[in-house]
Amino acid sequence: SSGINAEYGEEKGREICEELFNQEDIAPCHETVPVENFARSCRRSVANNQFLGDWPAQCESLQSYVLACKTAGTDVPNRWRRLTGCDDIRPTQQFILSQGC
């Protein structure tokens, strides 16, 4: 039965993360910053049902990607948080906010 659960988790991770990383505000960055490692981390987090406090771990992967995009010079509108459901900012992320994410 754990094999079935693992398969479900992997499929769910693929579905959720593909949707997140292909949001219209984020997709333009794919040309600048390769998305695969970030998406893989996202899928693994979702498959393992990981949460960081109340914050879904897929948001951590997405936030890391957005920061990499901005660092590489690609503008990602700040509304990405609201559009992806990753708008609950934890206090430990103040340094990221200072980077304009």
Side-chain angles (χ1 to χ4, degrees):
S1 130
S2 67
I4 292 171
N5 288 339
E7 269 183 46
Y8 171 78
E10 288 174 20
E11 181 59 34
K12 189 75 174 161
R14 193 171 8 265
E15 186 181 307
I16 288 172
C17 297
E18 187 171 310
E19 184 177 330
L20 283 177
F21 281 91
N22 286 310
Q23 288 284 334
E24 66 178 285
D25 288 339
I26 292 169
C29 184
H30 294 204
E31 294 176 19
T32 310
V33 178
V35 72
E36 186 49 43
N37 287 338
F38 295 92
R40 185 180 307 118
S41 173
C42 178
R43 290 190 302 267
R44 189 169 38 246
S45 296
V46 172
N48 293 330
N49 199 25
Q50 294 176 348
F51 283 80
L52 303 165
D54 293 331
W55 215 50
Q58 66 262 25
C59 292
E60 190 79 13
S61 300
L62 187 60
Q63 178 175 265
S64 295
Y65 185 69
V66 169
L67 181 59
C69 292
K70 290 187 172 199
T71 301
T74 299
D75 181 47
V76 179
N78 285 332
R79 67 183 181 178
W80 73 268
R81 290 185 176 283
R82 184 176 39 80
L83 295 176
T84 60
C86 295
D87 53 358
D88 179 23
I89 310 222
R90 294 175 294 132
T92 56
Q93 296 166 329
Q94 291 308 314
F95 74 97
I96 299 237
L97 290 177
S98 71
Q99 298 298 314
C101 266

